[in-house]
Amino acid sequence: METDRIEREKAFHDVRFENEDPRRSIKKYYSVVQSTKAIYRQHIISLCEGKQLLELGCGPSGSTQLWHRNGAKVTGIDISPEGIKKAKATAESKNLDIEYFAMNAEQTEFEDNSFDLVVGMGIIHHLDLHTCYKELARILKPSGAAFFMEPLGHNPLVNLFRLLTPKMRTEDEHPLLIKDIDLAYEYFNEVSPEFYQLTSLAAFPFRSTSAFEPVAGRLEKFDQFLF
């Protein structure tokens, strides 16, 4: 049932944000995607000044403070009340004018055409995409845009890693497939996917050495040639 799925997500992330993050041990694996995160963030920074921006799945802070520093009028939502409680406390301690709400991204409480930008990192692969895309189309202004950085489900090595580490994620996660990207065309006038990190995942064993950046850089260029 949909209610069960949403409650499982809420419970997992409440534990994650309130206690020791069960995913802390896999942060080292994210070293290979730092360059892609930088591209994602820089693109949003280039567009967000003066814009009404909503971040989905913001957690205790997400990137909301970054968007705020770059001139956006920021709202953050998360399924986890614990994450939102911490986000509010941090914003208040820094006197930041950012709004936070514990809210389901599939069924928000915002009015139609509320936001110029909706963004998120590693969030929509937790959601029912039909419902999520429909809601995004509703709350975005006619000239608005959404930007997400998400895992794909086509790499067998990554899928094996996920299979071997089930406690590090919720049972309802579903890394996106090409059909999930194609589905977006039913809800949006323009869809522009960009792909990163295929062979460059092989740079991971070098993450703690001086060879990491040159190896990762070359593999990322090779990835772009392949894509």
Side-chain angles (χ1 to χ4, degrees), residues 133-162:
Y133 289 159
K134 183 178 180 180
E135 184 68 354
L136 285 172
R138 184 186 72 80
I139 62 177
L140 276 169
K141 296 179 181 180
S143 60
F147 298 93
F148 295 96
M149 180 177 166
E150 298 289 330
L152 292 176
H154 292 289
N155 189 314
L157 292 178
V158 173
N159 291 341
L160 176 62
F161 172 73
R162 294 178 65 88

Side-chain angles (χ1 to χ4, degrees), residues 34 60 80 93 138 149 151 179 183 193 210 218 222:
Q34 291 307 311
S80 165
S93 70
R138 184 186 72 80
M149 180 177 166
K179 67 177 183 178
L183 178 64
S210 59
R218 289 186 179 92
F222 184 56

